[in-house]
Amino acid sequence: MTAPQIAAVPSRGVARIRAAFENARAEGRAAFIPFMTAGYPSAAAFPALADDLLARADVLEVGLPYSDPLGDGPTIQRASEQALADGTSTRGTIELIRELRTRHDTPIVIMTYVNPIYAVGPREFMRLAQEAGVDGLILPDLPPDQDLEIAGLAAEHGLAVTFLIAPTSTPERIKLVAEACTGFVYAVSVTGVTGAREGTALGEVPAMLALARQHTDVPIAVGFGVKDAQTAHEVAMLADGVVVGSAFINAVRDGQDVSALVGRLADGCMR
Amino acid sequence: MTLTLPSYPQPDERGRFGRFGGRYVPETLIPALDSLEAAYREAKTDPTFLGELERLLRDFVGRPSGLYLAERLTEHAGGAKIYLKREDQNYTGAHKINNCLAQALLARRMGKRRVIAETGAGQHGVASATAAALLGLDCVVYMGVEDMRRQELNVFRMRLLGAEVIPVTSGTSTLKDATNEAIRDWVTNVRDTFYILGSVVGPHPYPAMVRDFQSVIGEETKWQLKELEGREVPDVIVACVGGGSNAIGIFAPYAYLPEAQRPRLIGTEAAGEGVETGRHAASVAGGRIGVLHGAMMYLLHDHEGQITPPHSISAGLDYPGIGPEHCLYSETGVAEYVPVTDAQAMEGLQLLTRLEGIIPALESAHAIYHAVQLAPTLSPDQIIVVNLSGRGDKDVAEVMRLLAKAEDAPGNVTGPEVLA
């Protein structure tokens, strides 16, 4: 199998995401990439929550709520169910981002399973995302060799694409995925689904990152299991970016001060 | 050793049946799927593996299952002869055991000590738990709480067999969600766990591997029909489809014959309360192409890609998708897929029970109903084979509840007076 050939057109999203990582690096930080499910805890409450995250984010990752998120753990899964029950849809997610764009210039990427893209139609989906000011896509259930069309269409519409590598990935797979990523590479820190964990071990991460760096010069972010300033810092010492998701959703659910958590985790990304 | 596993021209090397199938899963699983594919390819021609599988299918499962001429049912329907391929005679009560034993053997061969499975009606869960007990493997079964309610006895059987049954409360609390949970478990424990997938769905190589393990059904039908009727190929084969493993097991050995020699292959989909009501599980009649559980297939989902809850009287057909090979068969006209409602399935169940003394599973009852409708349009020298995928023991309590409800509602076609 061969890596998809990404169209060599200048991509607005690629450039903006790259600049965000470079800016963080210049400030002695790993890029801080918070995640939040669109429309959570409700469509009405989401914008203010996103504002809190964007106050310190280098890149914001917005999850498109999906009925069958098989790469996610219970936290994000329940957040998706709640957002869907509150009426958040695929197009609605894009609208929420369009609205954020009126106040923020930070790069925003959508994390989505492929079925919503196919259902809307890949070309239509990309067009809507581009118009709303989305900078990129993270595709957790799309190994890059499964569909050569989506990455190409994303590039045509100025969107960066991010695929995932995992501790189980072979050197051949890491090469394939790293070469296909245009925004950043998303390295999953553990074999497992998303979720804040006790005692996340980063034992396999350095070797995985070293392999990936042989094949690409796009930034590499690490996610899954980052829950506090200390784990964020440990990851920041290894990677170009730190993704934090379930910890924020848990905080919202438990009524904690999300802004304070954002501050601690963003500070944790300092090297 | 005489058992061989078939080689079919589909899928292609990327695991595609035409545009269907593929591997839409988290990257974490790709290496596991690659090694499963390699292990299966090797096992498929290894006399040790095939010999052990053949011994278990014969001595443990009780194969071959009968090919039985249902004379009273034939007489009642009028027209073509109706034969039943008696997968209900298998140990554990359904065709599921064929695949589970084979996958459990493969798990052991790959050095995996822990197996996981998903189950709807419980038949696949019971078969997985049975195979695990036989081979000394740890077994965890995911099952939606709604299905646990409908199939209480099977839950107990699994636990008695030593399996851990984990209730799933996400989504619709049925097979779709149990499958999500099983995949999540596999993503997490992929290094020491083997996922025994129960139908011809999921990422490559599962649809091809499960088909190969189930094609013993069609292969047996060929020689049995030859002995009984002097020909290998019936005129029509009818089988129920949810994910579609029993149907592919009897279809595949015939599906790749030249068109002129091929029987009519008919899959009965669960139309629930009627395709037009939206309360159904008929993915071909009422779905559009999409991706679920790692494969592209016909799928029940809304216009923005959210999976819509399926509905069927039978937990085993209550699934929003249909295996990618069936999708290809449908698109190319190799097989037809017809909707059969809950009420019609109840009618099929009662007909077979009263006329032949065989209580079929609610799943299989969908196929029985359609065969009885079809038979009078054919001539007495023609042959219909119905794949009786499982027996109805597991459904008796649910049927009792439904019939009691129907008695309270006079005029309902599911009433017990259907034969009067």
Side-chain angles (χ1 to χ4, degrees):
Chain A
M1 295 186 198
T2 53
Q5 298 301 306
I6 307 300
V9 293
S11 169
R12 189 186 59 93
V14 170
R16 281 168 47 79
I17 290 168
R18 187 70 67 96
F21 274 89
E22 276 165 12
N23 181 50
R25 184 202 301 261
E27 293 178 6
R29 300 182 288 115
F32 173 53
I33 310 175
F35 166 95
M36 184 52 63
T37 301
Y40 182 81
S42 66
F46 172 80
L49 182 55
D51 288 344
D52 288 344
L53 300 172
L54 282 160
R56 296 291 299 274
D58 294 293
V59 176
L60 177 68
E61 182 184 340
V62 174
L64 197 162
Y66 180 52
S67 56
D68 294 75
L70 53 77
D72 284 303
T75 299
I76 293 177
Q77 187 186 356
R78 288 196 202 104
S80 291
E81 282 182 8
Q82 190 172 327
L84 288 169
D86 197 50
T88 303
S89 61
T90 302
R91 286 181 166 83
T93 296
I94 294 172
E95 285 311 306
L96 287 172
I97 293 172
R98 188 195 303 276
E99 196 261 339
L100 291 178
R101 266 284 162 263
T102 61
R103 300 193 296 281
H104 299 278
D105 193 42
T106 305
I108 300 177
V109 297
I110 289 180
M111 190 285 288
T112 178
Y113 292 84
V114 288
N115 201 51
I117 297 181
Y118 286 133
V120 171
R123 188 172 290 276
E124 174 70 358
F125 184 93
M126 302 302 167
R127 187 185 69 76
L128 290 170
Q130 179 185 30
E131 281 180 10
V134 174
D135 294 287
L137 302 173
I138 300 175
L139 303 164
D141 65 343
L142 189 72
D145 44 348
Q146 276 302 301
D147 183 323
L148 307 183
E149 185 195 8
I150 282 184
L153 281 173
E156 261 181 51
H157 289 82
L159 301 170
V161 283
T162 286
F163 300 103
L164 279 62
I165 55 175
T168 52
S169 298
T170 58
E172 294 74 28
R173 293 294 310 175
I174 287 178
K175 178 174 191 292
L176 177 98
V177 176
E179 288 177 352
C181 292
T182 57
F184 58 94
V185 178
Y186 192 136
V188 174
S189 64
V190 291
T191 57
V193 292
T194 58
R197 287 172 171 76
E198 286 309 312
T200 298
L202 295 171
E204 296 165 305
V205 174
M208 180 170 50
L209 298 187
L211 263 173
R213 283 195 169 113
Q214 288 175 18
H215 301 293
T216 182
D217 61 353
V218 305
I220 305 175
V222 169
F224 284 36
V226 180
K227 60 180 183 299
D228 54 25
Q230 191 195 328
T231 45
H233 181 67
E234 285 168 20
V235 171
M237 296 306 286
L238 297 171
D240 304 311
V242 181
V243 184
V244 187
S246 297
F248 293 122
I249 292 172
N250 287 335
V252 174
R253 185 195 60 208
D254 299 343
Q256 291 166 12
D257 183 343
V258 175
S259 283
L261 181 63
V262 168
R264 287 197 299 276
L265 283 159
D267 289 345
C269 291
M270 292 296 295
R271 291 187 173 127
Chain B
M1 203 285 296
T2 55
L3 181 73
T4 54
L5 290 174
S7 288
Y8 297 110
Q10 295 278 349
D12 66 18
E13 60 177 19
R14 301 182 62 228
R16 296 274 177 171
F17 299 86
R19 58 177 154 162
F20 304 102
R23 274 185 183 170
Y24 297 88
V25 291
E27 184 66 31
T28 306
L29 293 180
I30 297 290
L33 292 165
D34 280 338
S35 55
L36 174 62
E37 190 181 359
Y40 174 54
R41 195 183 305 122
E42 202 179 75
K44 204 174 161 176
T45 55
D46 177 355
T48 308
F49 177 81
L50 293 172
E52 179 71 351
L53 180 57
E54 179 175 43
R55 184 181 72 85
L56 289 177
L57 289 177
R58 184 188 61 224
D59 301 340
F60 189 77
V61 176
R63 300 204 73 88
S65 66
L67 183 66
Y68 164 74
L69 174 60
E71 289 186 20
R72 297 234 305 142
L73 190 68
T74 298
E75 192 186 339
H76 170 85
K81 282 187 196 173
I82 302 175
Y83 278 90
L84 305 177
K85 181 57 178 160
R86 298 288 306 275
E87 292 300 298
D88 63 313
Q89 291 174 340
N90 292 341
Y91 180 57
T92 73
H95 70 292
K96 295 289 186 185
I97 191 73
N98 305 327
N99 170 55
C100 285
L101 278 174
Q103 286 200 39
L105 281 176
L106 196 55
R108 193 179 65 179
R109 186 183 166 92
M110 292 177 75
K112 312 277 184 179
R113 303 291 310 159
R114 177 178 184 263
V115 297
I116 56 171
E118 83 300 320
T119 198
Q123 292 305 92
H124 175 63
V126 168
S128 297
T130 301
L134 178 72
L135 298 178
L137 306 170
D138 295 332
C139 181
V140 171
V141 180
Y142 290 91
M143 190 170 188
V145 288
E146 170 63 15
D147 291 336
M148 288 177 76
R149 181 194 64 74
R150 291 194 280 192
Q151 303 293 344
E152 200 183 346
L153 192 58
N154 271 342
V155 173
F156 180 72
R157 287 165 80 193
M158 285 183 262
R159 288 178 171 154
L160 197 59
L161 286 159
E164 184 187 353
V165 181
I166 299 184
V168 175
T169 55
S170 58
T172 54
S173 301
T174 60
L175 178 56
K176 159 182 93 76
D177 307 287
T179 307
N180 287 333
E181 287 307 323
I183 293 174
R184 288 189 187 102
D185 180 316
W186 202 35
V187 172
T188 305
N189 301 296
V190 62
R191 285 176 166 135
D192 64 2
T193 295
F194 187 103
Y195 179 17
I196 301 184
L197 213 157
S199 195
V200 284
V201 299
H204 178 65
Y206 280 105
M209 185 172 71
V210 176
R211 168 200 62 192
D212 295 352
F213 290 146
Q214 289 294 2
S215 62
V216 64
I217 304 171
E219 292 297 338
E220 274 179 16
T221 303
K222 282 185 186 171
W223 64 256
Q224 288 173 319
L225 200 61
K226 178 86 174 168
E227 280 184 1
L228 290 161
E229 295 279 351
R231 56 173 165 134
E232 286 191 347
V233 183
D235 296 279
V236 184
I237 297 175
V238 186
C240 65
V241 286
S245 69
N246 89 83
I248 218 82
I250 195 163
F251 287 178
Y254 294 100
Y256 296 95
L257 293 172
E259 191 178 348
Q261 296 165 33
R262 203 165 55 217
R264 266 181 83 184
L265 303 174
I266 302 176
T268 53
E269 294 196 293
E273 294 171 11
V275 175
E276 71 291 347
T277 66
R279 300 253 309 149
H280 64 85
S283 312
V284 175
R288 292 171 298 110
I289 292 175
V291 168
L292 182 67
H293 299 145
M296 184 168 282
M297 57 189 172
Y298 291 120
L299 189 63
L300 305 181
H301 55 147
D302 67 21
H303 285 279
E304 295 202 333
Q306 306 295 342
I307 310 304
T308 48
H311 164 81
S312 170
I313 195 173
S314 63
L317 303 184
D318 205 350
Y319 184 75
I322 174 171
E325 189 163 7
H326 285 294
C327 298
L328 179 65
Y329 288 177
S330 175
E331 197 173 63
T332 55
V334 166
E336 310 151 51
Y337 296 84
V338 301
V340 173
T341 65
D342 287 348
Q344 291 168 335
M346 280 294 280
E347 196 178 325
L349 179 136
Q350 291 174 89
L351 262 179
L352 191 68
T353 304
R354 301 273 184 96
L355 291 172
E356 298 286 351
I358 299 170
I359 305 176
L362 276 168
E363 289 80 1
S364 318
H366 289 72
I368 297 290
Y369 175 85
H370 186 69
V372 170
Q373 299 303 303
L374 189 66
T377 69
L378 304 174
S379 66
D381 63 343
Q382 291 184 295
I383 296 167
I384 300 175
V385 175
V386 180
N387 199 24
L388 195 66
S389 57
R391 63 183 182 225
D393 304 27
K394 69 179 171 64
D395 294 320
V396 167
E398 183 75 358
V399 168
M400 187 166 72
R401 193 180 66 80
L402 291 165
L403 288 180
K405 209 165 102 184
E407 273 187 343
D408 293 340
N412 190 321
V413 288
T414 62
E417 301 310 317
V418 66
L419 291 179

